[in-house]
Amino acid sequence: VQMNSALGPYKGGLRFHPSVNLSILKFLALEQTFKNALTGMPLGSGKGGSDFDPKGKSDREIMNFCQSFMTELHKYVGSSCDVPAGDIGVGGKEIGYMYGQYKRILGRSDPGALTGKAVSYGGSHMRPEATGFGLVFFLNEMIVRKDIAPSLAGVRCVISGCGNVAIHAAKKLMEYGAVVMTLSDSNGTLFCETGFEESDISSIEKLKEAKGRLSEFDFWNSGRMQYFDGMRPWQIGQYDVALPCATQNELEHGDASALVRNGILAVAEGANMPCTPEAIAIFENNGVHFGPAKAANAGGVAVSGLEMAQNAQRLLWSEEEVEEKLKATMIQIYDQCESGSRILGEHGNLRRGADAMGFLTVAAAMEAQGYV
């Protein structure tokens, strides 16, 4: 779905998951429009994918599908036209297979046509970490500027998911001294009241890379962890901050009510719109600070934009340089959310502020170019 190119080439992720359909892609592409606008980078918006399920497939089957997919998609993408990236079910391996097929068909190199590539063939440092790290940079601004706490040190955090976003958010939170109490997958939740250690996160990351389930994790020997089969993390413990990082509409009315009863102070969305409208209303009606997905999880597309810039200049920036630029971008996004909330007369409402600034940025570009 190529949604809007007023600010720049269409830009968004490709998703391989059984739930993918045209309706979901349109909804995600619209959200991407305003998310990309908030980054301040010249990026349009789009979203794509397939209901192909990579789970349980061999590498050969995944490669064959990616190559067939790109055989059709190549007509619509390019560094100045449409630049896809990864999303659920599409990681570095899948991007590599698609980019190889893209080059094979075109007969030339065009590294800016896809982002999320490995550093060895035109990718950027920090791309795998970008969304999770960016989420924590945004959350840190929320925590400090809204006087929730002097810093993230000691703040109890509940995270859903254990994929790319969740794992790297957990790592960065631990760098800040926060207490990461949960990770989850579609089968259940792993809970540690005293907080995971770095070695735990590394072991879980390796388990997931091997396509394992959290129920298979050797948590019994630690004596610190519990596994809750079939449960999501929201109603298991008491937390200060919630970071839904799994998928859309995962945090519902009952979950939000439980979090509020247990004293939640802030919520920042790591996945694409993981909180239902009913859940968001409960948070806002009870004074819980809320960081919307289009702002809080924009770190991924921000580093994709930085990857495009590096490809255009034939450069490779260091990890430190990319992380510094990512952090600056997330702080700038937070500033825009606050500015938008003031424009609407709803000071401090980051959700409404993000909507306003994203819309005004895209609308101004469309009007200037004669689209409206």
Side-chain angles (χ1 to χ4, degrees):
V1 176
Q2 294 178 323
M3 180 62 68
N4 190 284
S5 62
L7 296 177
Y10 301 107
K11 186 83 187 80
L14 297 172
R15 176 176 295 192
F16 291 169
H17 191 271
S19 66
V20 169
N21 57 46
L22 185 59
S23 177
I24 285 177
L25 294 180
K26 287 180 177 178
F27 135 74
L28 291 172
L30 179 62
E31 180 79 353
Q32 194 81 42
T33 303
F34 305 123
K35 179 193 299 186
N36 292 1
L38 288 171
T39 67
M41 298 178 182
L43 302 172
S45 60
K47 204 75 179 181
S50 168
D51 59 3
F52 170 76
D53 187 359
K55 285 185 179 178
K57 303 293 193 302
S58 68
D59 283 351
R60 182 73 184 189
E61 289 172 314
I62 292 171
M63 182 180 73
N64 288 343
F65 179 80
C66 289
Q67 290 174 341
S68 297
F69 188 79
M70 181 53 74
T71 297
E72 179 61 25
L73 186 66
H74 84 276
K75 295 177 282 189
Y76 307 100
V77 302
S79 54
S80 298
C81 172
D82 189 335
V83 184
D87 194 77
I88 295 172
V90 178
K93 177 174 66 179
E94 290 77 14
I95 291 291
Y97 292 151
M98 285 189 274
Y99 182 58
Q101 182 72 352
Y102 181 77
K103 287 203 303 179
R104 186 177 295 116
I105 293 170
L106 263 64
R108 57 181 171 81
S109 177
D110 184 13
L114 283 161
T115 59
K117 304 181 296 298
V119 172
S120 60
Y121 61 92
S124 173
H125 288 298
M126 300 297 300
R127 183 60 187 90
E129 299 90 343
T131 306
F133 280 20
L135 173 65
V136 177
F137 293 146
F138 187 92
L139 174 66
N140 187 61
E141 295 302 305
M142 286 179 64
I143 292 292
V144 174
R145 294 207 216 176
K146 292 187 177 296
D147 294 323
I148 298 170
S151 71
L152 280 168
V155 172
R156 299 170 300 171
C157 301
V158 51
I159 299 178
S160 65
C162 57
N164 193 45
V165 180
I167 289 291
H168 289 110
K171 289 180 178 180
K172 183 55 69 174
L173 282 168
M174 292 166 72
E175 282 185 31
Y176 275 87
V179 180
V180 178
M181 298 173 67
T182 69
L183 290 170
S184 68
D185 59 22
S186 56
N187 291 354
T189 296
L190 193 61
F191 174 78
C192 182
E193 189 161 12
T194 57
F196 294 117
E197 297 175 357
E198 289 183 18
S199 58
D200 300 327
I201 300 300
S202 297
S203 298
I204 292 170
E205 186 175 20
K206 290 176 183 176
L207 174 70
K208 298 309 290 187
E209 286 173 355
K211 303 188 187 305
R213 312 300 296 174
L214 284 178
S215 57
E216 302 167 22
F217 183 64
D218 185 23
F219 57 87
W220 301 106
N221 293 331
S222 73
R224 298 178 293 109
M225 304 179 202
Q226 294 172 271
Y227 179 75
F228 292 84
D229 189 43
M231 289 187 65
R232 291 181 288 189
W234 316 119
Q235 302 187 38
I236 293 174
Q238 291 188 310
Y239 319 107
D240 301 313
V241 169
L243 300 174
C245 296
T247 190
Q248 70 264 17
N249 296 326
E250 59 166 302
L251 199 160
E252 301 171 337
H253 180 281
D255 304 314
S257 297
L259 287 170
V260 168
R261 283 196 305 272
N262 288 323
I264 201 74
L265 300 173
V267 178
E269 295 184 306
N272 287 314
M273 297 186 76
C275 299
T276 65
E278 294 79 12
I280 295 171
I282 289 172
F283 292 139
E284 293 184 344
N285 291 339
N286 286 276
V288 176
H289 299 289
F290 183 76
K294 63 173 62 67
N297 86 350
V301 74
V303 173
S304 277
L306 297 177
E307 182 176 336
M308 292 166 66
Q310 291 170 81
N311 291 157
Q313 299 175 72
R314 299 296 193 265
L315 293 176
L316 177 63
W317 297 331
S318 68
E319 287 187 32
E320 294 76 16
E321 191 172 0
V322 175
E323 184 168 355
E324 182 181 333
K325 291 177 185 294
L326 170 61
K327 185 174 183 179
T329 299
M330 298 310 297
I331 292 172
Q332 178 262 136
I333 290 173
Y334 184 89
D335 290 338
Q336 285 201 75
C337 294
E338 288 282 14
S339 297
S341 71
R342 288 193 291 271
I343 289 172
L344 296 175
E346 299 182 32
H347 182 60
N349 189 321
L350 301 179
R351 178 182 64 85
R352 294 276 288 151
D355 289 341
M357 294 307 291
F359 174 82
L360 289 172
T361 301
V362 176
M366 292 177 68
E367 184 175 13
Q369 295 169 54
Y371 292 170
V372 292

